[in-house]
Amino acid sequence: MIAPQPFFEPRGTPFSEFHRIRALTDLGHTVDLVTYPFGQNVTMAGLRVFRSWRVPFLTRVRIGPSLAKIPLDALLTLTAARRALSTRYDAVHSHEEGGVIGVILATLLRVPHVYDMHSSLPQQLTNFAFTSSRLVRRVFQALERMMIRRSRVVIVICPSLEDAVREIDAGAHTVLIENAPGSADDHATPVAAGAVRRTLGLGEHAPVVLYTGTFETYQGLDLLFDAMAIVSAARADARLVLAGGDPDQVARGREQARAAGVGDVTVFAGERPAAEIPAYLLAADVLVSPRSRGTNTPLKIYQYLRSGKPIVATRLLTHTQVLGDDTALLTGASKEAFADGILAALNDPARSAAIGASAQHLAATKYSYAAYLERTRQACSALVTPPEPSEPARPARPAGVAKDVA
């Protein structure tokens, strides 16, 4: 498995990689993971981690496209090639732009390739405002087409990506595996939730509006701060808590909150370990996702669903491909509309409880770990039994699976 990210870090794609590996090893496979030279160490039966060489003076890489990824991916390629030459593998499984490395190695090794598509690479250029160059965009589009067409299986994390794959190659074999692998680790106790409130200096009965996740611009935090100004005018007791963001992002967030007039009612908890997030969710009254761009479903949405708390989210494809009016309060992408959604969740406890219960039921049925494991099994089965072009997009496959994944 080739992962061009820090592994492990508490953010979207590394989370997805962690759960993908957990499912593969639960199915009896062994995984050799080739990844960047930094990240938290992970110990898991059936997993070996091989880190690429370090780039001098580079200790971390930000989310999304960056120039720092060029030398990192070059060294990642060398490490992956060394592993490919030293061990016999049954498949190569690559994430994001690692698919470029993966399809080449898989071709040389004459083994099938799995492309784990967490986002559209050309769309990332827009989401992260990396470049407006048409040439660069065309290069990314060409690489994406190559990775899709040269892969035996393409794993996608949301329906919009499945549609994008179909536009490139109608015959591609896709397996939709949402980033929703729930586990016992998602449960928290009232004691832990109370400790969160005390640590953050929140009153026992203060209404808490919680955001978790990264602080990238496409997440819509500017919309959230502006909406919270309206909420605060109507509910002076309400508090906004944000769990996420590196120190520089938190500093910028504080400035944004002050500029919006909500600095006094906003609490920045910073990046929190994954194990603490369930307690934060339990301590909250309303969970928000103000994302303003992109089409991928935020990973936090699935954890929000499992919490049983009311969710307020923008009525955009990034959310509506998972959420409906029965499982969330979906709003327009204006500060007034988003504020109305938050106030509705705070002021109508009966409606909020019904929406939270419906969300929790959806998580327990459609987004269970058993469902996640079954779809991972389907992807593995397709590696050894290629589907006929006329077969459905996500068929269930019996029997034989590859035992080792590189």
Side-chain angles (χ1 to χ4, degrees):
M1 183 177 287
I2 301 170
Q5 290 86 26
F7 187 87
F8 174 74
E9 277 193 0
R11 63 195 214 194
T13 302
F15 265 125
S16 183
E17 292 160 353
F18 174 88
H19 291 301
R20 199 80 80 234
I21 294 167
R22 184 182 67 163
L24 287 168
T25 57
D26 282 350
L27 290 171
H29 304 287
T30 58
V31 179
D32 280 0
L33 177 70
V34 179
T35 188
Y36 281 174
F38 30 79
Q40 302 167 18
N41 290 326
V42 171
T43 301
M44 190 185 307
L47 168 67
R48 297 192 301 175
V49 178
F50 297 89
R51 298 191 181 275
S52 58
W53 290 306
R54 288 187 173 273
V55 176
F57 311 112
L58 189 61
T59 58
R60 64 175 299 159
V61 61
R62 66 180 179 85
I63 298 172
S66 66
L67 294 177
K69 285 204 131 194
I70 296 175
L72 285 169
D73 284 350
L75 293 175
L76 188 73
T77 301
L78 292 177
T79 305
R82 289 176 62 200
R83 295 309 313 155
L85 293 173
S86 65
T87 305
R88 183 173 178 176
Y89 294 104
D90 296 312
V92 178
H93 184 149
S94 307
H95 297 265
E96 295 280 32
E97 78 271 12
V100 176
I101 308 168
V103 294
I104 295 172
L105 289 180
T107 300
L108 294 175
L109 297 175
R110 297 182 179 181
V111 298
H113 179 255
V114 183
Y115 174 37
D116 216 316
M117 187 176 183
H118 302 267
S119 62
S120 169
L121 295 184
Q123 190 181 84
Q124 281 196 28
L125 299 179
T126 301
N127 288 348
F128 290 92
F130 179 69
T131 179
S132 59
S133 169
R134 291 183 179 180
L135 176 61
V136 173
R137 185 174 181 84
R138 286 173 183 167
V139 168
F140 273 59
Q141 289 172 334
L143 292 175
E144 187 167 85
R145 286 195 298 269
M146 179 192 72
M147 291 186 290
I148 289 170
R149 291 171 177 168
R150 298 283 295 275
S151 299
R152 179 77 59 86
V153 176
V154 180
I155 294 175
V156 293
I157 64 165
C158 59
S160 65
L161 281 179
E162 190 167 32
D163 293 341
V165 171
R166 292 272 174 246
E167 290 180 6
I168 293 172
D169 184 355
H173 182 67
T174 61
V175 178
L176 173 60
I177 308 179
E178 289 100 338
N179 283 324
S183 71
D185 296 337
D186 288 329
H187 298 295
T189 65
V191 172
V196 166
R197 280 182 170 257
R198 287 192 299 274
T199 299
L200 299 179
L202 302 170
E204 183 179 353
H205 302 293
V208 173
V209 178
L210 175 68
Y211 169 87
T212 69
T214 67
F215 279 24
E216 301 302 322
T217 55
Y218 61 85
Q219 297 283 15
L221 295 186
D222 52 346
L223 169 64
L224 177 58
F225 293 135
D226 289 342
M228 194 62 197
I230 299 173
V231 171
S232 186
R235 290 291 303 265
D237 57 341
R239 296 294 180 267
L240 173 63
V241 174
L242 298 99
D246 63 36
D248 290 340
Q249 290 174 326
V250 168
R252 289 193 294 272
R254 291 186 193 278
E255 289 300 321
Q256 284 183 288
R258 278 195 287 268
V262 294
D264 293 340
V265 299
T266 302
V267 179
F268 291 86
E271 289 183 345
R272 310 312 309 161
E276 292 184 11
I277 296 302
Y280 274 77
L281 300 178
L282 187 58
D285 296 282
V286 179
L287 310 176
V288 294
S289 182
R291 186 172 288 201
S292 56
R293 293 204 304 269
T295 57
N296 296 351
T297 302
L299 184 129
K300 62 174 154 280
I301 290 299
Y302 302 103
Q303 199 169 29
Y304 281 9
L305 287 170
R306 289 193 292 272
S307 75
K309 296 297 179 75
I311 301 167
V312 178
T314 47
R315 193 184 292 276
L316 301 175
L317 181 60
T318 183
H319 295 128
T320 58
Q321 58 193 335
V322 170
L323 301 174
D325 290 316
D326 59 332
T327 55
L329 288 93
L330 297 170
T331 79
S334 69
K335 62 183 181 181
E336 294 84 4
F338 205 74
D340 286 345
I342 295 173
L343 287 170
L346 291 175
N347 295 333
D348 192 342
R351 182 187 179 193
S352 293
I355 287 175
S358 180
Q360 204 166 40
H361 177 73
L362 176 65
T365 52
K366 186 175 181 180
Y367 301 121
S368 66
Y369 184 59
Y372 184 93
L373 204 62
E374 176 55 30
R375 291 187 177 183
T376 306
R377 182 183 289 109
Q378 291 175 23
C380 293
S381 296
L383 291 178
V384 292
T385 311
E388 296 296 329
S390 59
E391 289 187 310
R394 297 187 292 276
R397 286 282 176 183
V401 292
K403 291 305 293 180
D404 295 313
V405 181

